[in-house]
Amino acid sequence: LLVAAVLRDVLLPGPWALAAVALGALPRLLGVQAENVLEIGDDGSRDEAIELMAKGLDKESQCFLVRLRQAKGRLKAAAKAVQALALQEDFPDADFLWKQEALEAAIRKG
């Protein structure tokens, strides 16, 4: 019942931070749904809440978040997650990738 309420709040704009804290504090409630919640919630509007939630999840779910952001082209957010979740060993080039993309975009704009 608690899981259903928290998952419902994940989809609402206002209570996201509270839902993220609850899910991060009680990661076993999510079980296999952790990656689904990360995928639904990680839309760029609440990165800090998502990272806070991910801190309480297992390493596999944390790495999923970074790979998800990279796949969406959100390289700066991926690098930020790598720092927040202490995954530098798993993603040593994350910071370089977003800086390279930013430089290339600046060069294209002139």
Side-chain angles (χ1 to χ4, degrees):
L1 192 57
L2 176 61
V3 174
V6 172
L7 288 175
R8 180 202 66 230
D9 288 350
V10 163
L11 299 175
L12 300 174
W16 229 99
L18 179 59
V21 170
L23 291 172
L26 305 166
R28 290 190 180 154
L29 288 177
L30 276 177
V32 296
Q33 295 179 346
E35 291 180 2
N36 291 337
V37 171
L38 290 172
E39 194 164 4
I40 291 168
D42 192 47
D43 63 2
S45 67
R46 46 187 160 245
D47 286 352
E48 289 181 21
I50 288 285
E51 290 162 10
L52 183 63
M53 180 183 71
K55 284 183 180 182
L57 300 177
D58 59 50
K59 187 174 180 179
E60 185 177 322
S61 295
Q62 293 174 348
C63 290
F64 173 82
L65 174 62
V66 174
R67 287 190 300 273
L68 176 67
R69 288 180 175 181
Q70 288 176 331
K72 289 181 176 181
R74 300 185 59 229
L75 300 181
K76 186 174 183 178
K80 186 178 173 202
V82 167
Q83 294 296 319
L85 301 171
L87 296 173
Q88 295 89 340
E89 203 170 288
D90 297 284
F91 298 94
D93 60 346
D95 201 46
F96 172 77
L97 290 174
W98 87 259
K99 288 180 180 180
Q100 180 184 23
E101 180 190 51
L103 178 61
E104 289 172 359
I107 290 170
R108 282 192 301 271
K109 287 183 180 182

